[in-house]
Structure formats: C-alpha cells, structure tokens
Amino acid sequence: MKRLFVILVTTCIINLLYAQRTCYSKLQGDTLVIGNECIERKFAWNEGNLITHSLSDKINQKITFTIKQTADFFISKDVTVAPKGACLVEEVMATDVYPGYLKTTVTFSLGTLDIKRVYRIYDGCPAIACDTYLKGIVNSVFGGREENAADRKNIEFAEDMKSKSVTAILDQLSFEGQHWHAKAVEFWDVTDWNNNLVTERNIITYRKNNYRGNLFFAQNGENGSGFFFLKEAPCSSVQLAYKGVDFMAEFGKFMVTGLGITEKDIHQHEWTRTYSCVTGVYGGDELQALTALRSYQKNIRCHFRDRDEMIMMNTWGDRSQDAKVNESFCLTELERAAKLGITHFQIDDGWQTGKSPNSAVAKGSFENIWDNKDYWKPDVEKYPHGLAPVVAKGKELDIELGLWFNPSVQNDFADWKKDAETLIGLYREYGIRIFKIDGLTIPNKKAEINLRNMFDKVLVETNNKVMFNLDATAGRRGGYHMFNEYGNIFLENRYTDWQNYYPYWTLRNVWLLSKYVPAEKLQIEFLNKWRNTEKYANEPFAPSNYSFEYLFATTMAGQPLAWMEASNLPDEAFSLKALIEQYKKVQYDFHQGVILPIGDEPSGRSWTGFQSITNQETREQSGSGYLLIYREDNEQSEMCVETWLPEGAKVRCSLVLGNGKKAMEATIGRKGIINFSLTRINDFAMYRYEII
C-alpha cells in the first residue's frame, strides 16, 4: 500500500495534461467536502469560517479526525463569524501556463472584515491549496505590533509607527497523538550572500513551539499517517510583516502563521491576497512525502519541451558587464554559441539605451527610469539596426534570443504598467519571450501586488507566450515558493574573477534544493574554467581541475546556464557540443520525472548524484527513470550509492551520458543501495534504469 501511493502520484505527475477529472467539492447541509482520488478534506461549514473535521489519505486508506472545534482560519477570538457565508464551486480550464483545477471559493465575514478562501485541487494530486484574501475595516480585528524592526521606518515617522501586522493563523489541524515526528525546512535565497540554501530541523512535537520555514512535514509515529504544510511565500528571512515564525506545533496541534501583510494593506473595497498555504497527505516513508509535495509543485506551471527546456548562454559571467555588448559582439557570440550546442542566448544588462548602476561604461541609475522614455529601447549606438539582426541570426542558428530586464522599483513598482508595455512591445516587435527579471525589491504588499500585476499583464497581452527567469541573488524577492507560475529561477551569480565559483559548491546547492524544489525550475551555471586560473593557485577544487564536460554535467539536473562569453573559450572547449547534443535527447524526459538527490552531499570528495523517477513499478508497467552519478575527487573507484529505488528490486541500467559501464544489472540493497564504478575522479555517468 505504501508503494501504491508513490506509484499513483508519480504516474499522475507524468500524465498531468491527460488526466481525467476526478476532483470534487460539495456543500451539503453543514458539511463541505473537497477531494479527489488521493485526498479528501471534510469541513464543518460554520457559516463559512470552516472547521476541519477530517483529513483523508485515500491511497493509504487513512482518515485522521480533528479533536478540537477550532476554525482553520483564526484572526481574533473577540470577533464572531457573521451568518452570511457563501460557497461557489467552478472548474478552471487549463491554459498554456496553468493546468486545470477545481476551484472552491468560500466567503464569510468576521465583524467588519470580509474573508475569501479559495481552495485549489488538481487531479491525481494529494494536496489542496488555499489562497486567502481580505478586505474591509480592520480596526476591531487586528492587534499587535509588527516585530521585525528592520522593516520599520525611524521614529520620526510617527504614522508608520502605528502600523500593526496581522496576527492570524492561515491554517491549522488538531489531531490526536503524542508521537508526532516533524521536520521544518527553511530556505535561503539572496545567493550573492548565502551559499547554504537549505536548513532542516527534525523534531518530536511537544509543548507549543515556533518554527521557521516554507515546509513542515509531520507524521504520526503510531499509525504512519502524515501530512505537510507548504507556505507559498518568500524565504522566512525576507517575508513581509514577519514575526519570526511560520509554523507552530504543540503535540498534535499544528498551525501555519504569517500572512505577509499589515493592517495598512487591507482596503474596504478591494481584496488583498495574503501568503497561501498548501496541505498535502502521505503515509509511509520519506519518498512518499517528497513525491506528494512534488506532485503539487508540478501542477503550479505546465512544463513543455519547446518552451521550458533550455541550455542558455549569458555572457555576464565573464565580467565584461556591458562594455562589450553590441550588435557585432552578439553576432559573433551566437556563431560560437552554436558551436557549443546552446539553445538560448540572453543579452544581460547593457542592450538598452539607459544605463544601470552596474554599467561599466557609465554611471547609471534605476531611479526615475521613465524620465527617459527611451530607457528600454535598444541602444542605437550599440544596435544601429535594433535587435532584428541579432534575432534573425539566432533563428538562422536555431538559438532563441532572451533579454535582461529590471522593473522600475521606485514607489513600489508604481510604473508597472509601463514596464509591462515595454516587455509586451519587445515580444511583439522581435518575438522575444524570455526575460531575466533582476533588481527586484519587494518591501511591502503594494510592491508585491504591482509586481504580480506586471507579470499577469504581460502574460495576458502575449497570450501566455512570455516566461521569466526570476533572479534570486539579492534583495527581497519571491524565493523558491512564490511566483513559481511565471517561469524558472536564476539561482546564483558565481565568478572565477572573485574566486567564488567552485563546481562542487554549485552542485551542492542544486543537490540540497532538489529535495524540496523542482530542480528543472532552477537555472544552474557553469563557467569558463580557463579564466583566472592563477587566482585559484593550487587549490584542489579549482575549476581548472575539472573537465569542461564535468562542469556542464553538474548543471544537468536543472536548466544549464553557460555563464560566460563564448568568444573567450579556447578551441578545445567546443568538444563539449557532443555531450550537449546527447543531453538534449534526454533533457525533457529526465526533467519530467521526480528529481531527488542521491548519494552523499557534494563536498568535492563525495559520490553523489540525482535520481529522476519517471515511472514507478506497477503490475502493468516496469518502474523506470534515470540515475545521474558523480564521482568527485574520491579515492574509491567503486561505491555503493543510496538511491530511492526499492530494496530487493532488480534493475537493468544502460549508459546514456558520460562514462562508466555501458550496461549493468543489480539487485537493490537496503536504503536503495546500488554499486557504481567510475575509473576517473571528477567524472560522471547518467544511466537509464528499468526495474526488471
């Protein structure tokens, strides 16, 4: 039964677009039921302020009943619910961006505050999401000062000192049992400053305690039933109106808190969206928990071969900034990029007329961008014919052009409509549909709303053709769990010039994130290893000690990013094309699976890797997927590597990429152990496996 859960969920992930509608939502009398073939959540109606009655894991046939009649959404014990709740159920059809889902909208009032809770459920997905919106008059409802002093103005701003953050519970579950084992997972972006991006905290719930993070897993040690909360918000350290806590647990009572708004963000006649919360179920081992989570994450945005897969080159990694960027440079770069097998070429900061603060040729600014109506037009000196010749050359070489863009951050993105029109215009004139979004600063809810408005307007006006690379390197941004519907994540800036690019660091970051974030949504960089070799002296982990093929291989679980100028590469670098062309053949299939880390954490001395589970074993089909193995600078030429394969299974592996045995068969040991062999250090192999 435990394996059946993973089988069904994984199969549904792979066949999202073809799944038959199985979701349901029914309000009968005083009971609302939302569910599908995997999960069911039953509520007492309570005039719309729902109280969870039970949470069912239908695959593992476990029903967990709540023991306290407490409303799921809590904001004040002094305000009673008004008797005018309403419920609307509607089917939302799939688009080119979003899978279809069943939507249940519940509205109710607490005093003068109106609340709207929108529940989303997808076919074959063991999770139910809830988006919360507020409007009305809040004076009698909210209390408590916002506690993050870094977000306050100084004492001279007396009015600002009155601002109060919303003390509320987004969702809560109260279950029986004294033996709940839990894990809180906190994430870190701002990767220009952070190189340790995931923190796990394992706990046995006891007295009331607070925990930080975007993810909270809990499992009953007595019967194995489990659930998770996913808080769809930025990383804890940069959330809005943050009070230092995301989850609270006390024995079998679990709560999600932190709405991301203050009372100033709520208006009488306009809905304001809080952070969202997802509740999912699982039973059994960690693989079931992670597969359940990934099922939901893969439903946030459709992933298509021709749109979402890419091997991108961005020349900023060689630190010329905007000094070289012009028509001639780009045409030459495209020619050499084609020799590597690159699919997308992105011009970073410097293509535009206006000069940014990062310009190497002029002292620019992002302030008052729209005082210069030509700021976002191609620089006529650099591009006398506009971008048309570069776009045309790209099409000739089968390389798609992308651009860098920095929205107008002043006044909380007040000029978002102008920014959107710029992006729409570039799409209509040149067909450019991939934009790297940089320089974001989201200091308050108004800024977040305006930024979302910009994204949405661009999608509507381009018929969902445009996608965004969302930079996670600095500032208050969306992190790993918000804005995921708009594209992928540009993870980090690393440079040989500053000696902060080490291949195992990059591999470690994607390895750690891949457990909880879809790796295929991350752009992962590899650099020109022949630059700045003298700065690394005799370091054993210097980029020059690895083959160019290995550097590329460290990015394959994500979307590879050639962070370099192709013109600076020596001739020997272009032999990489053979590997890239082979990788293209499996890239989409590899990314369609549930990608999880295997082996040991990358350290420069480890055996490590990734497993992509594309099909689980059933009576009708064999289990299959991919195993991507790295031998770092480890003295052992053979190693037993822990995987997610089931103990006792017999597998047949065939080499797809890299080195190693051409074919092998093995019986899986405890903890999924399988023996691999690589004769050289700093080498890799990708196998396609099939359970026989």
Side-chain angles (χ1 to χ4, degrees):
M1 186 59 67
K2 293 179 181 179
R3 291 182 65 190
L4 180 60
F5 178 93
V6 183
I7 291 166
L8 180 58
V9 171
T10 306
T11 301
C12 290
I13 289 172
I14 298 163
N15 296 289
L16 286 174
L17 299 179
Y18 310 102
Q20 187 175 1
R21 180 49 50 91
T22 61
C23 302
Y24 56 87
S25 179
K26 297 175 289 186
L27 175 60
Q28 295 180 331
D30 64 351
T31 303
L32 174 66
V33 181
I34 301 175
N36 60 19
E37 72 271 40
C38 300
I39 183 175
E40 181 178 278
R41 191 168 182 178
K42 187 176 290 187
F43 307 88
W45 177 240
N46 190 34
E47 302 294 351
N49 193 10
L50 302 178
I51 301 171
T52 295
H53 172 264
S54 62
L55 184 64
S56 299
D57 175 354
K58 297 171 74 172
I59 301 303
N60 291 296
Q61 299 179 2
K62 294 182 182 294
I63 302 177
T64 306
F65 295 94
T66 56
I67 59 173
K68 286 188 177 181
Q69 294 298 301
T70 305
D72 298 343
F73 179 82
F74 175 84
I75 204 163
S76 174
K77 65 181 179 180
D78 300 322
V79 182
T80 58
V81 61
K84 60 176 182 177
C87 180
L88 175 65
V89 179
E90 54 190 320
E91 186 172 325
V92 178
M93 303 305 294
T95 69
D96 290 339
V97 178
Y98 313 117
Y101 61 93
L102 190 65
K103 176 181 177 181
T104 303
T105 303
V106 176
T107 54
F108 63 98
S109 298
L110 290 172
T112 56
L113 180 68
D114 296 329
I115 297 99
K116 178 169 65 175
R117 303 266 276 174
V118 179
Y119 295 88
R120 294 178 280 116
I121 186 168
Y122 303 84
D123 293 310
C125 177
I128 302 172
C130 182
D131 308 318
T132 301
Y133 300 79
L134 305 177
K135 73 173 181 179
I137 301 172
V138 300
N139 293 342
S140 63
V141 180
F142 293 164
R145 273 276 177 85
E146 69 179 55
E147 295 179 359
N148 192 334
D151 289 329
R152 301 178 187 170
K153 296 179 182 178
N154 65 39
I155 199 168
E156 301 300 327
F157 293 82
E159 190 62 31
D160 187 72
M161 297 296 289
K162 298 177 182 178
S163 178
K164 302 171 185 176
S165 58
V166 182
T167 303
I169 303 298
L170 268 175
D171 205 352
Q172 59 183 311
L173 295 167
S174 297
F175 297 138
E176 287 186 327
Q178 298 287 98
H179 305 283
W180 285 89
H181 300 257
K183 177 191 291 186
V185 187
E186 184 175 2
F187 299 84
W188 306 84
D189 56 357
V190 193
T191 58
D192 280 352
W193 293 94
N194 294 316
N195 201 38
N196 298 281
L197 309 182
V198 181
T199 302
E200 299 176 347
R201 183 179 179 186
N202 293 296
I203 56 177
I204 294 177
T205 60
Y206 188 55
R207 303 293 180 186
K208 189 173 182 180
N209 273 293
N210 299 336
Y211 305 96
R212 290 165 56 109
N214 289 91
L215 275 168
F216 192 88
F217 297 91
Q219 189 166 26
N220 190 324
E222 296 179 72
N223 61 21
S225 62
F227 74 92
F228 69 82
F229 284 136
L230 166 63
K231 184 177 177 181
E232 294 188 295
C235 299
S236 301
S237 59
V238 298
Q239 285 180 28
L240 301 177
Y242 193 56
K243 298 185 123 184
V245 56
D246 299 285
F247 307 106
M248 295 180 282
E250 183 177 13
F251 297 108
K253 184 175 182 179
F254 306 94
M255 293 165 280
V256 186
T257 188
L259 275 66
I261 58 176
T262 71
E263 60 179 4
K264 287 185 175 182
D265 300 317
I266 301 174
H267 309 287
Q268 189 170 358
H269 303 294
E270 179 181 343
W271 290 111
T272 298
R273 181 176 176 175
T274 70
Y275 293 144
S276 298
C277 180
V278 182
T279 305
V281 295
Y282 64 94
D285 58 17
E286 186 178 28
L287 178 58
Q288 289 195 24
L290 298 176
T291 306
L293 169 66
R294 194 59 45 86
S295 174
Y296 172 75
Q297 291 171 321
K298 281 181 174 283
N299 269 294
I300 295 174
R301 175 182 170 86
C302 298
H303 189 90
F304 296 133
R305 183 195 305 270
D306 295 337
R307 181 191 64 195
D308 297 277
E309 296 292 351
M310 58 187 66
I311 302 170
M312 180 177 281
M313 175 171 283
N314 183 313
T315 63
W316 195 268
D318 277 9
R319 299 301 305 152
S320 294
Q321 298 167 274
D322 61 345
K324 291 184 179 180
V325 172
N326 58 35
E327 180 181 303
S328 175
F329 172 79
C330 290
L331 295 176
T332 301
E333 284 292 296
L334 283 168
E335 291 278 4
R336 293 178 71 82
K339 290 176 62 179
L340 275 177
I342 297 297
T343 63
H344 294 71
F345 179 77
Q346 192 168 61
I347 309 175
D348 212 291
D349 185 3
W351 63 270
Q352 75 280 10
T353 298
K355 297 296 182 285
S356 83
N358 296 319
S359 173
V361 298
K363 186 177 181 181
S365 172
F366 287 137
E367 293 183 7
N368 302 314
I369 280 178
W370 287 105
D371 287 351
N372 177 2
K373 62 182 177 57
D374 296 327
Y375 194 102
W376 289 116
K377 292 182 179 180
D379 188 320
V380 293
E381 294 185 7
K382 294 181 175 183
Y383 298 93
H385 309 99
L387 296 175
V390 182
V391 172
K393 186 66 172 180
K395 289 182 178 178
E396 176 189 326
L397 298 171
D398 200 24
I399 297 176
E400 183 171 350
L401 187 70
L403 290 177
W404 170 91
F405 186 79
N406 196 115
S408 310
V409 298
Q410 68 270 9
N411 300 321
D412 305 323
F413 301 105
D415 290 320
W416 66 268
K417 290 182 181 179
K418 295 179 182 178
D419 292 336
E421 290 296 343
T422 295
L423 298 172
I424 295 164
L426 289 164
Y427 169 76
R428 290 174 176 168
E429 182 173 0
Y430 298 112
I432 295 170
R433 63 179 188 88
I434 300 179
F435 295 94
K436 178 184 175 185
I437 301 299
D438 202 355
L440 298 184
T441 300
I442 308 175
N444 53 46
K445 197 66 183 181
K446 182 180 179 181
E448 180 189 306
I449 291 170
N450 285 341
L451 185 62
R452 192 180 290 277
N453 286 340
M454 185 196 78
F455 291 142
D456 289 340
K457 180 177 176 62
V458 172
L459 290 183
V460 169
E461 296 294 328
T462 63
N463 196 26
N464 292 325
K465 299 301 182 186
V466 164
M467 69 173 291
F468 303 100
N469 313 125
L470 299 175
D471 187 292
T473 64
R476 290 180 179 267
R477 301 180 183 178
Y480 308 105
H481 304 284
M482 196 173 80
F483 297 142
N484 304 89
E485 64 268 38
Y486 297 119
N488 59 26
I489 298 171
F490 179 96
L491 184 62
E492 58 190 21
N493 295 311
R494 298 293 183 262
Y495 303 99
T496 57
D497 306 70
W498 297 339
Q499 201 181 332
N500 70 340
Y501 173 62
Y502 293 94
Y504 87 85
W505 284 7
T506 293
L507 182 60
R508 176 177 178 267
N509 282 340
V510 67
W511 190 90
L512 290 169
L513 284 169
S514 68
K515 195 172 183 179
Y516 305 110
V517 177
E520 68 272 15
K521 303 295 186 183
L522 303 173
Q523 285 191 299
I524 307 299
E525 82 289 351
F526 69 107
L527 274 67
N528 180 346
K529 76 189 192 83
W530 293 276
R531 291 185 71 246
N532 300 309
T533 56
E534 72 285 353
K535 294 189 177 183
Y536 289 85
N538 296 316
E539 287 193 55
F541 304 121
S544 60
N545 290 333
Y546 301 81
S547 70
F548 205 36
E549 286 75 12
Y550 183 87
L551 298 190
F552 175 79
T554 61
T555 74
M556 292 195 300
Q559 299 295 332
L561 175 67
W563 189 232
M564 65 188 74
E565 296 175 19
S567 301
N568 286 341
L569 292 172
D571 290 342
E572 64 183 287
F574 295 92
S575 62
L576 177 62
K577 183 173 184 178
L579 173 60
I580 290 180
E581 294 301 327
Q582 289 177 305
Y583 172 69
K584 288 178 184 177
K585 296 176 183 178
V586 299
Q587 182 180 15
Y588 178 70
D589 192 42
F590 183 88
H591 286 155
Q592 283 293 94
V594 176
I595 300 173
L596 296 171
I598 60 175
D600 294 328
E601 179 181 311
S603 66
R605 304 289 191 189
S606 303
W607 277 78
T608 187
F610 302 92
Q611 179 176 347
S612 174
I613 306 170
T614 56
N615 288 294
Q616 280 288 341
E617 183 182 16
T618 68
R619 292 179 180 178
E620 292 76 27
Q621 70 178 8
S622 297
S624 61
Y626 295 87
L627 295 164
L628 177 53
I629 306 298
Y630 306 89
R631 175 190 172 186
E632 297 186 302
D633 190 356
N634 185 289
E635 63 182 13
Q636 301 295 322
S637 61
E638 292 190 10
M639 184 62 67
C640 292
V641 176
E642 291 185 8
T643 72
W644 300 96
L645 290 166
E647 181 179 354
K650 294 183 179 180
V651 297
R652 179 185 297 121
C653 299
S654 56
L655 187 67
V656 177
L657 301 172
N659 302 303
K661 296 179 180 179
K662 298 296 182 183
M664 64 182 198
E665 293 186 3
T667 299
I668 304 303
R670 184 174 177 270
K671 293 187 176 181
I673 282 179
I674 182 172
N675 186 269
F676 291 99
S677 175
L678 286 168
T679 58
R680 294 179 298 186
I681 64 169
N682 297 328
D683 206 356
F684 73 98
M686 179 189 284
Y687 289 94
R688 182 182 284 113
Y689 73 82
E690 182 179 5
I691 298 177
I692 56 177

